[in-house]
């Protein structure tokens, strides 16, 4: 057990470092706005006064102060340190910010954080099983389904969402299911292969 | 970052209507069009009134009359996948499955889809056009390759919705609630052409919300289909398209509703095509005649003349295809 803890410290990654810093930042915001914590039941959110909301992300409950105009993407990345979902077009046209909301892929940039209350959110970080990659992640790695990698977290979430509702999609269903995500490097062929490989890994093939 | 606004999550229709009556209030259902408009500064919102948590607006269920009630908050994905819609109102399922991208279909609602703001790039861009209270249409003498060939009148937008033409072809109506109570309006009267009011797309008053779409009972003799042609197969809006709902008796057309998308500021019902095919045997010859009738009265602008042969081709192909269904 002690050995495990030691390893965890040694394996502190750039991502987990930023992730920790992000959580710290959220706490600081919280302590500076004590009044807002009291008004949890207040349904009218003032634009200038951050209001406390509760988000369930990757199985964990996060209580956080937000402005009504903040997108879910902004909250994930800038306040919770969950940086897998990427900021691309910020207008629902590229898919880099794709996350699962109640098991279906959606654009986190086009979703207000306040609107995501009461839902189950899954980000790429939530697909990990400890240090192990999830099936779709593993499939993308095996099939070399990326070049620069910027769109990859969104592609993986779209694929994961597709396979949750349709564990054995046809070629056409894969193309349609993945059509909300752009890849500027043009890795589409390998992305398509990766989704097929993910079907096998998930045991649906 | 979006501009600032006050946010209210309504817990009843009444509460939503009360908040919507206040100055500068905007409604949030799925939020996909709203957030895009706010980000592009198409309009401002002092207050966002969210109706997304109203249970009464969710769900798709059969009506006592044998039709279907589609709650305004049914997502486009729910509409596309609903077994009854796929079976009896095929044109609607097909249109819904071709809207935008999977992610947007998972979030966007049927109520929001019929209330979309136009996609004209001058309207969405930094142009103070007629529709935004200015004094000119920039598309008229500008980049008008995606604009209308029917119904242009000072403003030349096309209606961006795929589900609206499908709903109109099915004879659907829209249930609306507001300060003065509820009303039900035929889909055909829901959208407003620019000649009637250049700044409004629908008959909705600021305090009104769409609560449901009502579909009349579907006759087993009805066949329906939707065809959308666009530059790319995802995200894109129709360059031209057609919704068909036709009742056959053998090969003969008994009743027909034909509605175009992507070619007019409102979903465009073509009574010319309907007249051409009603009471006749639908074969390749008749389809060709109907396709000619489809583009009668079409007026091309400088850069959208391609839409006329495109629409003609779509109508001909789709009529031939539906006869074989």
């Amino acid at each position: 057990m002690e050995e495990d803890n030691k390893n965890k410290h040694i394996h502190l990654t750039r991502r987990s470092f930023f992730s920790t810093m992000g959580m710290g930042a959220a706490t600081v915001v919280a302590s500076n706005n004590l009044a807002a914590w009291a008004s949890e039941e207040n349904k009218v959110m003032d634009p200038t006064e951050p209001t406390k909301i509760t988000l369930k992300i990757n199985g964990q409950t996060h209580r956080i102060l937000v402005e009504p105009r903040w997108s879910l993407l902004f909250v994930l990345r800038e306040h919770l340190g969950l940086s897998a979902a990427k900021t691309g077009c910020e207008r629902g046209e590229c898919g880099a910010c794709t996350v699962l909301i109640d098991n279906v892929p959606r654009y986190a940039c086009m979703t207000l954080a306040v609107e995501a209350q009461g839902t189950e959110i899954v980000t790429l970080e939530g697909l990990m099983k400890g240090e192990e990659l999830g099936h779709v992640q593993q499939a993308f790695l095996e099939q070399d389904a990326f070049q620069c990698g910027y769109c990859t977290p969104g592609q993986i979430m779209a694929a994961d969402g597709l396979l949750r509702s349709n564990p054995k999609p046809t070629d056409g269903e894969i193309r349609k299911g993945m059509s909300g995500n752009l890849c500027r490097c043009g890795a589409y062929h390998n992305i398509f292969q990766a989704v097929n490989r993910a079907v096998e890994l998930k045991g649906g093939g | 970052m979006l501009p600032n606004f006050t946010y209210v999550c309504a817990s009843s229709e009444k509460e939503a209507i009360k908040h919507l009556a206040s100055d500068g209030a905007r409604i949030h259902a799925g939020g996909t069009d709203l957030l895009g408009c706010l980000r592009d500064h198409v309009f401002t919102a002092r207050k966002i009134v969210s109706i997304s948590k109203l249970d009464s607006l969710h769900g798709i269920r059969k009506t006592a009359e044998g039709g279907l009630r589609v709650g305004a908050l049914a997502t486009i994905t729910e509409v596309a996948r609903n077994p009854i819609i796929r079976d009896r109102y095929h044109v609607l399922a097909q249109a819904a499955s071709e809207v935008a991208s999977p992610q947007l279909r998972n979030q966007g609602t049927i109520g929001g889809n019929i209330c979309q703001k136009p996609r004209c790039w001058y309207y969405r861009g930094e142009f103070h056009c007629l529709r935004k209270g200015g004094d000119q249409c920039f598309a008229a003498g500008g980049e008008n390759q995606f604009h209308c060939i029917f119904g242009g009148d000072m403003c030349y937008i096309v209606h961006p919705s795929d589900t609206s033409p499908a709903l109109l072809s099915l004879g659907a109506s829209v249930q609306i609630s507001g300060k003065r109570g509820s009303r039900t309006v035929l889909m055909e009267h829901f959208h407003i052409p620019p000649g009637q009011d250049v700044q409004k797309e629908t008959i909705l008053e600021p305090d009104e919300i769409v609560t449901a779409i009502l579909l009349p009972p579907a006759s087993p003799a009805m066949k329906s289909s939707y065809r959308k042609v666009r530059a790319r197969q995802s995200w894109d809006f129709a360059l031209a398209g057609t919704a068909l709902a036709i009742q056959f008796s053998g090969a003969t057309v008994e009743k027909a509703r034909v509605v175009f998308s992507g070619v007019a500021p409102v979903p465009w019902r073509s009574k010319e095509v309907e007249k051409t095919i009603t009471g006749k045997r639908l074969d390749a010859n008749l389809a060709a005649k109907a396709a000619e009738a489809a583009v009668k009265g079409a007026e091309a602008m400088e850069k959208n003349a391609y839409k006329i042969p495109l629409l003609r081709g779509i109508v001909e192909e789709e009529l031939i295809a539906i006869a074989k269904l």
Side-chain angles (χ1 to χ4, degrees):
Chain A
M1 189 67 193
E2 250 183 53
E3 193 59 28
D4 277 350
N5 279 338
K6 220 168 150 187
N7 282 341
K8 262 183 204 160
H9 284 292
I10 294 165
H11 290 291
L12 180 72
T13 59
R14 175 179 165 271
R15 181 167 295 168
S16 66
F17 172 75
F18 282 122
S19 168
T20 315
M21 292 307 285
M23 299 292 260
T27 317
V28 172
V29 174
S31 57
N32 283 343
N33 290 277
L34 288 172
W37 290 87
S39 58
E40 191 168 9
E41 297 305 313
N42 196 351
K43 280 188 310 177
V44 179
M45 290 175 65
D46 193 83
T48 53
E49 213 161 303
T51 305
K52 186 169 73 173
I53 64 164
T54 303
L55 294 178
K56 199 165 176 202
I57 304 162
N58 302 331
Q60 275 191 316
T61 302
H62 297 264
R63 306 177 108 201
I64 177 171
L65 287 166
V66 303
E67 290 181 23
R69 62 176 172 160
W70 288 0
S71 70
L72 175 61
L73 178 64
F74 179 75
V75 168
L76 289 174
R77 291 181 56 83
E78 307 299 329
H79 290 269
L80 297 174
L82 295 167
S83 57
K86 295 289 179 279
T87 308
C89 65
E90 281 201 275
R91 55 201 314 115
E93 287 177 9
C94 79
C97 66
T98 302
V99 297
L100 302 185
I101 297 182
D102 288 337
N103 283 317
V104 300
R106 281 182 34 180
Y107 298 135
C109 76
M110 295 301 275
T111 305
L112 293 176
V114 287
E115 282 285 318
Q117 288 190 95
T119 67
E120 302 261 352
I121 300 156
V122 180
T123 69
L124 186 94
E125 289 90 342
L127 298 186
M128 298 290 292
K129 300 170 204 145
E131 289 296 305
E132 237 178 84
L133 296 176
H135 293 314
V136 183
Q137 291 169 299
Q138 183 63 37
F140 269 64
L141 195 64
E142 286 179 18
Q143 299 298 315
D144 194 19
F146 42 81
Q147 200 177 109
C148 83
Y150 196 79
C151 72
T152 311
Q155 300 277 5
I156 290 174
M157 296 317 289
D160 202 273
L162 169 67
L163 300 186
R164 284 181 193 217
S165 67
N166 185 359
K168 217 181 157 183
T170 62
D171 288 357
E173 285 166 344
I174 293 176
R175 289 207 170 84
K176 194 159 186 181
M178 298 300 291
S179 67
N181 294 70
L182 292 178
C183 168
R184 212 179 63 167
C185 306
Y188 295 112
H189 177 72
N190 292 14
I191 290 169
F192 179 78
Q193 307 281 38
V195 180
N196 270 321
R197 175 68 183 134
V199 171
E200 287 171 14
L201 289 175
K202 280 192 170 220
Chain B
M1 186 65 73
L2 292 168
N4 265 324
F5 49 78
T6 299
Y7 171 89
V8 191
C9 185
S11 52
S12 69
E13 281 176 33
K14 214 174 141 190
E15 194 193 352
I17 290 159
K18 187 192 84 188
H19 283 292
L20 279 171
S22 73
D23 198 29
R26 295 275 176 177
I27 193 163
H28 179 299
T32 55
D33 197 28
L34 174 73
L35 266 52
C37 284
L38 291 178
R39 215 158 255 161
D40 289 345
H41 307 282
V42 174
F43 51 70
T44 55
R46 223 175 271 173
K47 188 192 277 181
I48 298 287
V49 182
S50 174
I51 57 167
S52 68
K53 305 287 190 261
L54 297 181
D55 285 343
S56 59
L57 308 189
H58 281 281
I60 300 173
R61 61 168 196 264
K62 288 181 186 168
T63 62
E65 298 77 38
L68 206 63
R69 179 191 184 275
V70 184
L73 291 178
T75 64
I76 302 300
T77 299
E78 283 164 5
V79 171
R81 290 194 186 156
N82 182 276
I84 301 173
I85 296 178
R86 287 170 67 119
D87 182 37
R88 296 190 208 161
Y89 306 98
H90 187 65
V91 58
L92 178 58
Q94 219 177 345
S97 76
E98 302 216 2
V99 170
S101 69
Q103 286 91 328
L104 290 171
R105 290 194 290 276
N106 288 337
Q107 182 167 353
T109 64
I110 186 83
N113 194 270
I114 67 169
C115 295
Q116 281 177 85
K117 289 290 179 187
R119 286 278 153 183
C120 168
W121 42 33
Y122 295 104
Y123 175 77
R124 295 266 167 173
E126 291 168 6
F127 293 85
H128 193 55
C129 73
L130 264 179
R131 192 162 286 275
K132 289 194 282 196
D135 59 7
Q136 61 170 310
C137 167
F138 295 89
E143 297 298 320
N144 48 37
Q145 42 272 63
F146 299 124
H147 291 73
C148 67
I149 52 171
F150 291 110
D153 190 346
M154 297 183 298
C155 165
Y156 297 87
I157 59 162
V158 293
H159 199 270
S161 169
D162 292 305
T163 62
S164 297
L167 289 167
L168 209 162
S169 75
L170 293 167
S173 43
V174 185
Q175 249 181 11
I176 297 165
S177 276
K179 248 183 343 200
R180 288 162 306 281
S182 300
R183 55 178 175 147
T184 303
V185 178
L186 277 174
M187 196 64 201
E188 207 161 352
H189 304 140
F190 183 70
H191 294 103
I192 294 183
Q196 193 179 323
D197 185 340
V198 79
Q199 288 189 43
K200 280 184 84 175
E201 292 80 34
T202 71
I203 57 159
L204 288 181
E205 296 298 331
D207 62 277
E208 284 185 318
I209 59 176
V210 172
T211 54
I213 310 285
L214 300 174
L215 294 169
S219 153
M222 184 188 72
K223 293 180 188 175
S224 70
S225 71
Y226 184 68
R227 172 84 179 273
K228 174 181 185 176
V229 173
R230 47 190 159 166
R232 54 176 182 172
Q233 289 305 303
S234 190
W235 272 290
D236 227 349
F237 296 88
L239 297 171
T242 186
L244 302 177
I246 300 179
Q247 275 191 40
F248 284 94
S249 167
T252 304
V253 174
E254 278 200 329
K255 254 201 229 169
R257 278 264 188 135
V258 178
V259 187
F260 301 150
S261 58
V263 292
V266 293
W268 194 257
R269 185 168 171 191
S270 177
K271 294 199 174 162
E272 289 74 14
V273 173
E274 293 173 12
K275 259 185 254 158
T276 308
I277 61 174
T278 303
K280 301 199 183 82
R281 197 186 151 80
L282 183 51
D283 55 18
N285 278 338
L286 187 65
K289 260 188 220 158
E292 283 308 322
V295 295
K296 220 172 119 191
E299 277 181 61
M301 301 173 81
E302 199 188 335
K303 296 182 177 174
N304 69 355
Y306 71 93
K307 285 196 176 191
I308 296 176
L310 178 61
L311 181 66
R312 193 192 294 132
I314 290 171
V315 170
E316 186 172 352
E317 282 185 6
E318 278 308 288
L319 285 173
I320 291 170
I322 202 169
K324 289 180 186 160
L325 275 183

